[in-house]
């Protein structure tokens, strides 16, 4: 049986859903070897996640290694020109190592997970353009840069003429808001819709290069971001729904949702460029 070695870059991997995706990847992806590049602002938190991943994998038949790229504030657009090369340098180092060790990376995956809510107390007419610019810099502009740098560096190390079987996947952690409008979510909904469409375009443009993209909406998760939603959302009707879900325990467990995402990636039957929700069949 041939070795499946996945290179997995995750933004916002130090906590929340990003960390959960990393753990599920080790358990459910079916890869024999995984090289992680964990990206975020919190160096120590990222290092802790990487060491937990390695600890959990020890004794299993999955070989886990990785690098941490900390101090990456994706909202700091001025630093993108230095941060994007740092992320891709880590990925290239792990890919080159895999070639030298004759355990060549067979699949490269970028999980665009990091994201923010914006101010949910406001309706659109009170949102300033300055707030919008700051919001889109982080949630959309940095994503364009991350995808572009990832595709270029993957294709530079694994040109398709030389590595025709290498697969590339770009994931956007999306939301129901990308496809359905709700009051008070103007920037969040517009940002998620933009991210979804970007991945739809990449799916078409890069199909011949063995690239697939997936917009995955993880459901209302039982985590810090949901607690922020319950604390700040200005719409009473939705607030009651989220409060009710929290009280009756029906918010989605992060590990259930990240397992679903990893199983979708493993089966590889999803339509590239599409949007899949946790609640979809
Ligand atoms: N929670 C939900 O119910 C839900 C539902 C649908 C979709 N989602 C999406 O799922 C993704 C993950 O969210 P989550 O629920 O895990 O939220 P979370 O608990 O708030 O975690 C957000 C992650 O993004 C990172 N991050 C925030 N600002 C950043 C910045 N400026 N630069 C780099 N990284 C930054 C955070 O790092 P720090 O520790 O440094 O802050 C953290 O790792 C998001 O895209 C979110 O929109 C969440």
């Amino acid at each position: 049986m041939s070795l499946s070695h996945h290179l997995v870059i995750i933004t916002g991997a130090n906590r929340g859903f990003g960390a959960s995706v990393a753990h599920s990847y080790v358990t459910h992806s079916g890869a024999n070897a995984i090289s992680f590049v964990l990206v975020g602002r919190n160096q120590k938190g990222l290092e802790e996640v990487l060491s937990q991943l390695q600890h959990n994998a020890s004794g299993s038949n999955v070989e886990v290694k990785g690098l941490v790229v900390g101090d990456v504030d994706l909202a700091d657009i001025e630093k993108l020109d230095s941060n994007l090369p740092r992320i891709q340098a880590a990925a290239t180092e792990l890919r080159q190592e895999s070639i030298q060790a004759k355990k060549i990376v067979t699949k490269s995956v970028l999980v665009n997970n990091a994201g923010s809510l914006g101010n949910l107390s406001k309706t659109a007419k009170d949102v300033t353009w300055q707030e919008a610019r700051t919001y889109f810099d982080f949630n959309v502009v940095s994503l364009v840069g991350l995808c572009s740098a990832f595709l270029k560096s993957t294709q530079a190390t694994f040109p398709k003429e030389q590595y025709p079987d290498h697969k590339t996947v770009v994931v956007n952690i999306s939301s129901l808001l990308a496809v359905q409008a709700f009051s008070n979510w103007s920037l969040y909904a517009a940002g998620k819709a933009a991210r979804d469409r970007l991945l739809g375009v990449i799916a078409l443009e890069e199909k011949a290069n063995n690239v697939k993209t997936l917009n995955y909406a993880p459901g209302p998760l039982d985590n810090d971001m949901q607690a922020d939603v319950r604390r700040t959302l200005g719409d009473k009707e939705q607030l009651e729904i989220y409060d009710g879900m929290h009280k009756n325990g029906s918010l989605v467990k992060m590990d259930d949702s990240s397992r679903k995402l990893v199983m979708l990636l493993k089966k590889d039957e999803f339509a590239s460029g599409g949007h899949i929700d946790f609640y979809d069949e």
Side-chain angles (χ1 to χ4, degrees):
M1 203 184 74
S2 62
L3 179 96
S4 59
H5 183 172
H6 296 190
L7 175 96
V8 183
I9 305 174
I10 306 177
T11 62
N14 58 306
R15 64 186 175 97
F17 192 62
S20 179
V21 170
H23 283 289
S24 286
Y25 211 95
V26 174
T27 320
H28 302 293
S29 68
N32 311 111
I34 306 170
S35 294
F36 283 106
V37 179
L38 304 183
V39 179
R41 296 186 288 197
N42 179 339
Q43 172 86 20
K44 196 158 173 286
L46 293 165
E47 281 167 1
E48 275 165 19
V49 171
L50 183 58
S51 91
Q52 280 162 12
L53 293 168
Q54 288 174 314
H55 175 80
N56 294 350
S58 63
S60 78
N61 43 20
V62 187
E63 192 185 312
V64 172
K65 59 163 69 175
L67 291 171
V68 156
V69 187
D71 200 21
V72 176
D73 181 349
L74 293 169
D76 189 347
I77 234 63
E78 304 302 323
K79 292 219 178 102
L80 264 191
D81 275 346
S82 56
N83 282 330
L84 295 178
R86 285 176 62 218
I87 298 165
Q88 294 317 318
T92 301
E93 186 179 327
L94 292 167
R95 288 188 182 111
Q96 295 295 2
E97 254 179 57
S98 84
I99 294 171
Q100 267 145 31
K102 300 207 174 352
K103 292 179 178 177
I104 297 184
V105 167
T106 51
K107 193 185 218 184
S108 298
V109 183
L110 169 65
V111 183
N112 291 290
N113 165 76
S116 64
L117 287 171
N119 186 340
L120 302 183
S121 71
K122 290 184 177 183
T123 55
K125 77 175 169 221
D126 289 326
V127 174
T128 65
W129 65 263
Q130 289 91 342
E131 279 174 283
R133 188 155 80 173
T134 303
Y135 185 83
F136 290 126
D137 273 356
F138 170 26
N139 291 281
V140 181
V141 177
S142 80
L143 182 93
V144 176
L146 283 160
C147 291
S148 159
F150 171 69
L151 291 170
K152 281 185 180 152
S153 87
T154 306
Q155 290 166 11
T157 321
F158 297 126
K160 77 172 171 188
E161 298 72 26
Q162 210 178 334
Y163 297 93
D165 297 328
H166 179 82
K167 292 183 173 180
T168 303
V169 183
V170 182
V171 177
N172 161 37
I173 302 305
S174 183
S175 162
L176 176 61
L177 273 302
V179 293
Q180 193 174 345
F182 290 93
S183 296
N184 288 64
W185 292 84
S186 55
L187 296 181
Y188 188 87
K192 290 298 192 193
R195 290 162 62 113
D196 269 37
R197 197 55 67 239
L198 174 73
L199 263 64
V201 170
I202 293 173
L204 298 174
E205 292 172 346
E206 297 295 330
K207 189 173 176 206
N209 292 326
N210 243 347
V211 177
K212 287 181 80 175
T213 70
L214 173 65
N215 296 296
Y216 176 70
L221 301 169
D222 190 7
N223 73 359
D224 293 349
M225 186 178 268
Q226 262 303 317
D228 287 344
V229 172
R230 292 194 300 278
R231 215 170 31 79
T232 60
L233 186 59
D235 182 84
K236 274 211 174 114
E237 215 174 299
Q238 290 176 66
L239 207 49
E240 273 170 28
I241 294 170
Y242 287 128
D243 270 338
M245 289 180 89
H246 178 237
K247 282 190 188 116
N248 68 27
S250 59
L251 288 169
V252 177
K253 290 187 180 59
M254 287 196 280
D255 290 350
D256 290 345
S257 187
S258 61
R259 186 184 336 112
K260 169 141 186 168
L261 168 61
V262 172
M263 293 309 291
L264 284 165
L265 296 175
K266 183 182 181 185
K267 283 190 190 147
D268 199 12
E269 288 166 358
F270 59 89
S272 185
H275 176 104
I276 299 180
D277 195 282
F278 171 75
Y279 292 112
D280 292 345
E281 238 174 61

